[in-house]
């Protein structure tokens, strides 16, 4: 994961891909993050920052399988094989975003496995709220796992969440475009906090805010044994979800599709569509295409 120490070579501190090669994108300091976030009685138990890795989710799934405790946080300055939903590639220049995964073991707190599907939605609510407060940018959620900002009057995806279960553990990965410039976007329809007019793009306070927000929401969710109603998660997700109130097309796993108005998020975290036939149909997984703006 660490780069070579040969002076001046790519990926070294002074090389073109090195630690200080872009002074507008300073590196994260693991020791400072640990002092701020890892504390007795808190959720976060370990925190590591690596220069580069294929995927923080893949690495943390392996550690979870080997018995790593709840609360491990793995952050990468660059992901070379980052994955979004449906195994789509996620690429970005080094230190241009936040790429991290967290290891959770909700079963140990008595949360039934059937409610673990709320974890990526919980991470979305926590992340969107933290970034809105800290970066001063309005963020929205696109069901199930995308984060949106407005750039030039258009909604654009700037972040995504990927949850993977391994045994009694769930690894939740978060990828966020922070300082990406227009010419660096992987696709023209992508966005970043910088392009959305963020008050600042210092990744350190943004990361601290997101991890603290996840810790708070996860604590409340566990306190109610994963029930999204009394802990406020279901209501908060719906309030911040840009998909609701829109006519959408749900492209389902296996090739089918459903078209209708997105009217609710049900107690299982599913998107409820009101179809033209007057039937309300829940969708548990799929790719959602917004067909018209929210009313």
């Amino acid at each position: 994961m660490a780069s070579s120490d040969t002076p001046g070579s790519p990926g070294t501190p002074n090389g073109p891909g090195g630690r200080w090669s872009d002074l507008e994108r300073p590196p994260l300091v693991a020791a400072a993050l640990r002092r701020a976030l890892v504390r007795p009685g808190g959720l976060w138990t370990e925190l590591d920052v690596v220069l580069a890795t294929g995927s923080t989710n893949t690495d943390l799934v392996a550690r979870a399988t080997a018995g790593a405790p709840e609360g491990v946080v793995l952050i990468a300055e660059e992901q070379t094989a980052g994955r979004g939903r449906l195994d789509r590639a996620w690429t970005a220049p080094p230190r241009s975003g936040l790429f991290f995964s967290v290891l959770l073991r909700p079963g140990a707190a008595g949360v039934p496995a059937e409610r673990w599907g709320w974890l990526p939605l919980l991470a979305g609510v926590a992340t969107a709220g933290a970034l809105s407060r800290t970066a001063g940018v309005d963020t929205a959620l696109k069901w199930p796992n995308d984060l949106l900002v407005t750039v030039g009057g258009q909604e654009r995806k700037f972040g995504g969440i990927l949850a993977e279960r391994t045994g009694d553990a769930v690894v939740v990965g978060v990828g966020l475009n922070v300082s990406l410039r227009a010419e660096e976007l992987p696709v023209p329809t992508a966005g970043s906090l910088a392009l959305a007019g963020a008050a600042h793009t210092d990744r350190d306070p943004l990361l601290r805010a997101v991890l603290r927000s996840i810790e708070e929401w996860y604590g409340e969710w566990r306190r109610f044994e994963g029930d999204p109603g009394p802990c406020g998660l279901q209501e908060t997700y719906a309030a911040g979800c840009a998909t609701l109130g829109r006519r959408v097309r749900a492209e389902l796993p296996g090739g089918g599709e459903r078209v209708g108005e997105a009217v609710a998020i049900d107690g299982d975290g599913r998107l409820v569509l009101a179809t033209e036939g007057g039937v309300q149909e829940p969708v548990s997984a799929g790719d959602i295409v917004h067909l018209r703006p929210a009313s």
Side-chain angles (χ1 to χ4, degrees):
M1 293 180 185
S3 60
S4 164
D5 290 330
T6 306
S9 65
T12 65
N14 298 320
R19 186 172 171 85
W20 294 104
S21 60
D22 189 338
L23 296 181
E24 294 182 0
R25 293 170 172 164
L28 293 167
V29 179
L33 290 168
R34 288 191 199 104
R35 285 194 298 270
L37 296 165
V38 178
R39 68 187 193 284
L43 174 60
W44 309 123
T45 54
E46 300 178 26
L47 186 150
D48 295 310
V49 179
V50 298
L51 293 182
T53 190
S55 162
T56 56
N57 256 37
T58 299
D59 294 348
L60 210 47
V61 164
R63 290 174 64 176
T65 303
E70 180 172 65
V72 175
V73 182
L74 179 61
I75 307 152
E77 297 285 39
E78 179 184 16
Q79 286 193 124
T80 57
R83 291 172 293 123
R85 291 183 61 251
L86 307 178
D87 282 330
R88 291 180 179 131
W90 181 284
T91 59
R95 302 183 308 281
S96 65
L98 290 172
F99 321 112
F100 66 93
S101 299
V102 300
L103 194 166
L104 305 172
R105 296 189 183 273
V111 178
E114 59 267 23
R115 291 176 173 168
W116 296 4
W118 273 97
L119 282 171
L121 281 72
L122 182 154
V125 164
T127 300
L131 293 178
S132 293
R133 293 188 300 269
T134 310
V137 170
D138 287 336
T139 60
L141 301 162
K142 179 185 176 187
W143 189 90
N145 299 329
D146 290 347
L147 293 131
L148 308 176
V149 288
T150 301
V151 178
Q154 296 183 330
E155 280 184 340
R156 296 193 185 184
K157 176 180 175 179
F158 81 102
I161 295 165
L162 178 67
E164 298 181 73
R165 180 175 173 178
T166 174
D168 66 348
V170 179
V171 172
V172 181
V174 179
L176 303 168
N177 293 336
V178 176
S179 64
L180 259 74
R181 307 159 187 126
E183 66 273 14
E184 295 174 321
L185 295 174
V187 293
T189 54
S192 69
L193 290 176
L195 292 173
H200 64 81
T201 56
D202 185 342
R203 294 179 304 144
D204 181 282
L206 296 177
L207 179 60
R208 295 186 191 202
V210 169
L211 287 173
R212 285 171 177 152
S213 185
I214 291 174
E215 181 176 14
E216 291 170 6
W217 272 106
Y218 184 64
E220 277 296 288
W221 181 75
R222 285 191 311 184
R223 190 163 71 89
F224 289 97
E225 298 181 341
D227 190 333
C231 72
L233 178 57
Q234 184 176 1
E235 180 181 5
T236 305
Y237 187 92
C241 182
T243 303
L244 293 181
R246 278 188 155 112
R247 183 173 171 79
V248 303
R249 181 174 68 251
E251 299 173 350
L252 306 176
E257 66 175 44
R258 298 287 186 277
V259 175
E261 182 179 354
V263 295
I265 304 294
D266 72 9
D268 294 320
R270 300 177 299 180
L271 182 68
V272 180
L273 301 184
T275 65
E276 292 181 351
V279 177
Q280 292 201 351
E281 184 172 347
V283 174
S284 59
D287 225 18
I288 300 298
V289 179
H290 290 172
L291 299 179
R292 66 169 172 79
S295 57

